Amino acid sequence: MTGSQARELRRRLWLNRLQMARVIGYTGTDRNDDLRVKRLENAGDPVPLYIARLLWMIEGNWQMFGSLPNFPQWQGYDFDHGPDPSHEPV
C-alpha cells in the first residue's frame, strides 16, 4: 500500500488524520498523531505492512456494516496524554 492509497482509503472512510490515527492505534498527542498520519500518507516508502493490513480490515468492516469497528475498552488500556505513572522516576 502506498501513502496515496492510504490517504484515499482515509477519505473514503470520511476520517480526518487525527481520527485515522486513533483508529490505527496511535495514542500520542493530537498534534503528533496527526503529523504521523500525514507523514505516512506523504512518504515515498510503502506503508508498513501491519498498518496496511489493519487499514484493509477496517475498510472491510466499513463496507460490511457501514461503520467503523466499535473498539472495546480493555482494562489497563485507557490512554491519557500525560506521562505513564508507572514510568516516573523513583
Side-chain angles (χ1 to χ4, degrees):
M1 173 181 282
T2 65
S4 60
Q5 289 171 324
R7 183 183 313 107
E8 179 57 34
L9 189 147
R10 176 176 61 79
R11 289 178 178 165
R12 282 197 307 267
L13 296 175
W14 293 86
L15 299 174
N16 62 38
R17 286 192 302 254
L18 181 57
Q19 290 168 327
M20 177 71 109
R22 296 297 182 251
V23 166
I24 62 176
Y26 293 156
T27 59
T29 64
D30 292 354
R31 182 176 177 216
N32 188 44
D33 289 343
D34 182 88
L35 183 60
R36 290 174 78 180
V37 171
K38 183 178 180 179
R39 287 182 180 160
L40 185 77
E41 293 177 348
N42 294 319
D45 299 330
V47 172
L49 184 57
Y50 72 98
I51 293 176
R53 286 178 174 165
L54 183 58
L55 292 174
W56 178 78
M57 289 187 287
I58 290 168
E59 183 181 32
N61 191 79
W62 180 266
Q63 290 173 349
M64 222 176 189
F65 302 109
S67 66
L68 292 172
N70 186 14
F71 296 109
Q73 295 295 318
W74 289 298
Q75 184 178 359
Y77 287 96
D78 299 331
F79 78 90
D80 186 324
H81 291 280
D84 184 349
S86 66
H87 290 91
E88 292 191 279
V90 180

